[in-house]
């Protein structure tokens, strides 16, 4: 089978390779991949800003159908439509594993980063990480479960009250999902972007986000002061991984406001105005990936129509069209791309 593999560190070094699928362990299943989404992490990996276990098949947002089950698998059967958490292996002993905060286990191995992922025909996952796809959720929509779980995880760290003014910095796929989760909790949401985010800001309005603004022609401070009687925003969720956006987010928060960082910064060391944190007694939380308790709520939000995911799809490519997919996403033309496996007969 053909797989999209990151073969070495640095920019690019991504190749289509012929690979065999491993045999499965007793607690694992083999899944035929239907669709796999390109994540911002995949973009960072391609550009050399995010380290993975080279060589490894990328892809961790996916939906598919089980074609083989291990002897110890009891809750899933051949033919089941499933999606999977990215966790493939953890130590099972640390305090984070005991609380099922698998995203924080120091020994965790993830699908598509340390273990071969879903940018291919078949992927192996452990039973504990699997989730059935509801009948009314399409395979395309189910491929969004992982990014929605990440968005849900970040918002769940905040105390969101009805009527709160919440600002989302960055209208990429995660930002658009975060905005919808915040709306579902009763917040009035402002999502922010730049000139090259034009299509994403248009999509935000189509998704009924309250305000979608271009920071290059609208003064955010003025808008937030108008909406809050000069107090400042109640909540900021930073989804772009841009240092200026992070500092602007801290600046527009009210005293005792809440800030969540979801976007991944390209550099380990960044300059943040911590005096704002002190003087305004801000609450700051980080959010890394997702954990098991985020998945069923996310699937339910898709199934009941509270969160719309398929409108975010702007193109679908075969995995050997990666270059087209990257260009489509990198320069603001696209929002979300799904990849399809290459026909094994082709």
């Amino acid at each position: 089978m053909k797989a999209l593999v990151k073969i070495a560190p640095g920019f690019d070094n991504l190749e289509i390779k012929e690979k065999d699928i491993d045999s499965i362990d007793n607690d694992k299943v083999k899944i035929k991949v239907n669709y796999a989404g390109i994540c911002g992490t995949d973009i960072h990996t391609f550009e050399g800003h995010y380290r993975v276990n080279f060589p490894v098949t990328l892809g961790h947002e996916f939906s598919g159908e089980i074609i083989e089950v291990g002897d110890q698998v009891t809750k899933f059967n051949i033919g089941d439509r499933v999606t999977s958490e990215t966790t493939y292996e953890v130590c099972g002993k640390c305090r984070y594993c005991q609380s099922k905060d698998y995203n924080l286990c120091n020994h965790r191995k993830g699908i598509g980063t340390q273990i071969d992922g879903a940018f291919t025909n078949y992927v192996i996952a452990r039973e504990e990480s699997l989730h059935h796809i509801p009948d009314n959720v399409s395979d395309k929509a189910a491929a969004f479960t992982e990014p929605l779980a990440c968005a849900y995880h970040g918002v769940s760290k905040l105390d969101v009250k009805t009527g709160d003014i919440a600002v989302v910095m960055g209208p990429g796929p995660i930002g658009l999902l975060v905005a919808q989760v915040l709306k579902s909790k009763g917040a009035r949401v402002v999502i922010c972007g730049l000139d090259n985010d034009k299509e994403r800001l248009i999509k935000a309005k189509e998704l009924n986000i309250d305000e979608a603004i271009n920071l290059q022609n609208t003064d955010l401070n003025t808008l937030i002061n108008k909406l809050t009687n000069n107090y400042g925003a109640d909540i900021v969720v930073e989804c772009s991984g841009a240092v200026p956006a992070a500092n602007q987010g801290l600046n527009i928060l009210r005293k005792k406001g809440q800030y969540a960082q979801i976007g991944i910064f390209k550099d380990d060391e960044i300059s943040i105005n911590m005096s704002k944190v002190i003087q305004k007694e801000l609450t700051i939380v980080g959010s890394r990936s997702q954990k098991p308790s985020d998945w069923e709520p996310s699937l339910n939000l898709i199934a009941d129509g509270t969160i719309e995911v398929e409108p975010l799809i702007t193109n679908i490519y075969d995995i050997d069209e990666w270059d087209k997919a990257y260009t489509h996403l990198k320069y603001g033309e696209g929002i979300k791309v799904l990849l399809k496996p290459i026909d094994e007969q082709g």
Side-chain angles (χ1 to χ4, degrees), residues 178-196:
V178 164
Q180 291 188 76
V181 175
L182 287 165
K183 283 279 292 183
S184 76
K185 294 182 176 292
R188 180 172 181 180
V189 180
V190 178
I191 192 166
C192 309
L194 303 173
D195 283 344
N196 64 348

Side-chain angles (χ1 to χ4, degrees), residues 137-151:
V137 174
S138 71
D139 292 329
K140 293 176 183 177
F144 279 81
T145 314
E146 195 276 344
L148 179 54
C150 291

Side-chain angles (χ1 to χ4, degrees), residues 57-70:
T57 302
L58 301 184
H60 57 269
E61 306 174 357
F62 66 93
S63 63
E65 179 181 323
I66 294 175
I67 63 166
E68 184 179 349
V69 297

Side-chain angles (χ1 to χ4, degrees), residues 118-185:
F119 288 166
T120 185
N121 299 80
Y122 305 98
V123 64
I124 294 173
R126 64 177 193 157
E127 180 181 27
E128 186 181 344
S129 291
L130 297 177
H131 296 268
H132 287 104
I133 299 172
D135 290 341
N136 67 327
V137 174
S138 71
D139 292 329
K140 293 176 183 177
F144 279 81
T145 314
E146 195 276 344
L148 179 54
C150 291
Y152 185 90
H153 184 67
V155 175
S156 70
K157 294 176 174 292
L158 303 168
D159 181 18
V160 184
K161 296 182 174 63
T162 299
D164 277 352
I165 301 299
V167 179
V168 178
M169 309 297 291
I174 293 295
L176 290 167
L177 293 172
V178 164
Q180 291 188 76
V181 175
L182 287 165
K183 283 279 292 183
S184 76
K185 294 182 176 292

Side-chain angles (χ1 to χ4, degrees), residues 6 8-14 44-51 54:
K6 181 74 173 182
F11 187 87
D12 197 353
N13 293 322
L14 200 58
H44 284 307
T45 301
F46 175 80
E47 295 176 340
H49 304 304
Y50 192 88
R51 186 171 180 82
F54 317 105

